[in-house]
Amino acid sequence: MIEMEEYLLKNAVNVSHMLLDPFIPRARVLVDMTCGNGHDTAFLAARMAQDASLYAFDIQDKAIASTRKRLCDERLFSDRVHLLQGSHDQLLEQIPGVVDLIVFNLGYLPSGDHSLHTTSEITVKAIKIGLHKIAKNGIIMLAAYPGTDAGAVEANAVRAYLQTVPQKDYDVSMWQPLNQIHCPPQLYIVQKRG
Ligand SMILES: C[S@@+](CC[C@H](N)C(=O)[O-])C[C@H]1O[C@@H](n2cnc3c(N)ncnc32)[C@H](O)[C@@H]1O
């Protein structure tokens, strides 16, 4: 048996972390667009460079508080981490300069109000802003959840939009399980060409 728990190809979030891993220490500005309970924010904060800045957004106060608690508990909170409550399309636009990594984990807060789901319209708007702000060789990563009605509509909208992104400027791909029942999460990956 190979002992490598953190490198299991079992779901979209795990695969996203594996793909992001080599980029995180090289990134100067990182953004978690949907911090929720802070798992992705903590993953980024634990690996980012000493002089990097990490922004984490969520529309819910509850998610910001939960992320702050996780970062504090894991001794990852610092003045280089900026937790901001609001809609990610508006907040991303306010970050000065280019951004190296942008991570979306779509859907709803598992422990919260499931009606506060990310929406197709805002998500596609935020991706468009991200495409303008992302640095050369920078990455936009989206985990999408087509297992619910709202999630399926959103995943289809993300896929349809990303298929129109010009190949000469961005490499766009996706990862999804093929043998899982129901509709497992999918991963969309965008890299701006250098
Ligand atoms: C699946 S959860 C994120 C999980 C999180 N990344 C983690 O590691 O725990 C999705 C989050 O998106 C947030 N959200 C929904 N619409 C949003 C928006 N327009 N801007 C920012 N966050 C939003 C929800 O409040 C929810 O917390």
Side-chain angles (χ1 to χ4, degrees), residues 32-40 57-60 63 86-88 105-110 116-118 122:
D32 182 349
M33 298 288 276
T34 54
C35 64
N37 288 321
H39 296 98
D40 297 310
F57 307 148
D58 204 286
I59 205 151
Q60 297 187 62
S87 191
H88 44 219
N105 192 338
L106 301 174
Y108 52 78
L109 193 61
L116 292 170
H117 198 291
T118 49
I122 301 289

Side-chain angles (χ1 to χ4, degrees), residues 46-142:
R47 291 161 177 77
M48 70 184 198
Q50 290 289 337
D51 59 348
S53 297
L54 171 60
Y55 295 85
F57 307 148
D58 204 286
I59 205 151
Q60 297 187 62
D61 278 336
K62 181 180 175 183
I64 297 294
S66 178
T67 297
R68 180 175 290 111
K69 180 173 185 322
R70 182 176 301 281
L71 293 175
C72 290
D73 289 350
E74 298 184 17
R75 298 183 183 281
L76 293 168
F77 197 67
S78 75
D79 58 2
R80 298 175 298 117
V81 181
H82 311 280
L83 302 181
L84 300 172
Q85 188 258 324
S87 191
H88 44 219
D89 53 321
Q90 294 169 13
L91 294 171
L92 182 60
E93 206 144 37
Q94 290 167 24
I95 294 181
V98 294
V99 176
D100 299 299
L101 294 184
I102 299 176
V103 179
F104 293 78
N105 192 338
L106 301 174
Y108 52 78
L109 193 61
S111 55
D113 180 348
H114 291 198
S115 69
L116 292 170
H117 198 291
T118 49
T119 65
S120 309
E121 188 192 351
I122 301 289
T123 299
V124 170
K125 185 178 170 204
I127 294 171
K128 288 179 182 173
I129 296 166
L131 291 174
H132 284 289
K133 293 196 78 70
I134 199 76
K136 286 183 178 173
N137 296 331
I139 305 271
I140 303 175
M141 194 81 80
L142 297 103

Side-chain angles (χ1 to χ4, degrees), residues 111-194:
S111 55
D113 180 348
H114 291 198
S115 69
L116 292 170
H117 198 291
T118 49
T119 65
S120 309
E121 188 192 351
I122 301 289
T123 299
V124 170
K125 185 178 170 204
I127 294 171
K128 288 179 182 173
I129 296 166
L131 291 174
H132 284 289
K133 293 196 78 70
I134 199 76
K136 286 183 178 173
N137 296 331
I139 305 271
I140 303 175
M141 194 81 80
L142 297 103
Y145 295 81
T148 63
D149 289 348
V153 168
E154 186 176 34
N156 287 338
V158 167
R159 184 188 176 103
Y161 174 66
L162 289 180
Q163 284 174 326
T164 71
V165 168
Q167 182 184 350
K168 69 178 176 43
D169 299 320
Y170 304 91
D171 291 311
V172 183
S173 56
M174 77 169 291
W175 176 92
Q176 79 181 121
L178 293 181
N179 67 341
Q180 288 185 25
I181 57 167
H182 306 307
C183 297
Q186 309 167 337
L187 183 66
Y188 293 89
I189 306 141
V190 179
Q191 184 171 38
K192 184 166 178 172
R193 299 178 89 159

